[in-house]
Amino acid sequence: MSGKYVFSTSVCRLYQVEYAMEAIGHAGTCLGILANDGVLLAAERRNIHKLLDEVFFSEKIYKLNESKSRYIIYNIVETYGIPFLPSHRYLLQYQEPIPCEQLVTALCDIKQAYTQFGGKRPFGVSLLYMGWDKHYGFQLYQSDPSGNYGGWKATCIGNNSAAAVSMLKQDFKEGEMSLSSALALAVKVLNKTMDVSKLSAEKGVYRDTCIQSAWSMQHMQQC
Amino acid sequence: MGWIEILDRAEVVTDKHHIRGSTGGGEIRRAPNLVPLRITCLPNDQDKMFKLSDKILLLCVGEAGDTVQFAEYIQKNIQLYKMRNGYELSPKAAANFTRKNLADYLRSRTPYHVNLLLAGFDETDGPGLYYMDHLSALAKAPFAAHGYGAYLTLSILDRYYRPDLTRDEAVDLLKKCIEELNKRFILNLPSFSVRLIDKEGIHDLEKLMPVGAK
């Protein structure tokens, strides 16, 4: 990748990583909210074609683990199979579900490696991870193509994510969010940041929102 | 027939805590011929118990050298986990990790010939005892023993163990086992070191000397 590393007097920039992060800004919105009794992920689903057959329950949210810890990741582009490997390798060795942060770290190490050696382009993927483990309870993490990650109380990635994050910042109530109020907040934020005309009370819309929480699977179709 | 190696330990688990006993020394080897050529009694204070974490103990016996190598390898890996992640492995996870390692090495050119007992206290699950043999079979058990002494002590434990033993009753049960060994076992095992694990951690109890032993 010629031109991958650009050194100027003051800053070293990895353009491929920046392009990847910018590309993610055009993808469907996904937001996550940490509540007292659970974690919530809400993702915008763009139905590309009316004739396209629904195979997956959701094409963007995946469950990695059963029984106590569930990790559901929001995939924008291309890391479908990759999270399963670290999580099941851990399960094979310790006979216990992998703690959340260890999974996040494992994946971020992979993503970071692609920005440093190998000569391949970085993964164009931002991920939201939600799960539960006995060490830290309910958790929400976000990682981006650079391999950076952080733990969040509420965050958003994708289209209009900045607007969503500022809304969440105003409306998120520390310590007082229950799953149902988180759900309401998620819908409210998505309503503002997605194209409003297409998400409305009338029937027949182009976009569905699919919401899955850590403990209860609710497929909510907003018509 | 090869050398006979006797290493005895017995372990008792109660609802509240664990007690494990093992010989403080007493390793006796006997040559294969009918007339024993050499009998060496080496009472040393070799401690066969390895502390994997604040609340997990590993008792490792078997082939000379293999025991220490394998036990230390597991011990350092468990400590590495704690350093990397900030929290410790639970006893169940540690036992399964040990088992997986033993199993992998078993199917290589360099197997470890060791028998293990792993004891630990978990915040949520309480005390747990895991029996593992050199073929990497893992079982969670209320009580366990390895070696020739097992033939004698397991029946005592079967008879007198109850899930609701108190700590003193458990120590008494251990004493019963040792009395049985003293009475019926051909070898003289002079002393047993005893450790207890409860929610506060690992405690050394007083050494047990069978009555009538030298």
Side-chain angles (χ1 to χ4, degrees), chain A residues 90 94-96 99 102 135, chain B residues 81 85 87 89-90 92 96:
Chain A
Y90 187 96
Y94 298 104
Q95 295 298 316
E96 260 185 4
Q102 287 189 43
H135 305 287
Chain B
Y81 184 100
N85 301 303
Y87 42 79
L89 270 177
S90 66
K92 173 169 166 273
N96 276 296

Side-chain angles (χ1 to χ4, degrees), chain B residues 6-9 145-154 181 185 189:
Chain B
I6 318 290
L7 297 160
D8 270 13
R9 80 253 357 113
H146 277 300
Y148 285 103
Y151 292 110
L152 299 165
T153 52
L154 280 175
L181 283 177
F185 196 43
L189 303 165

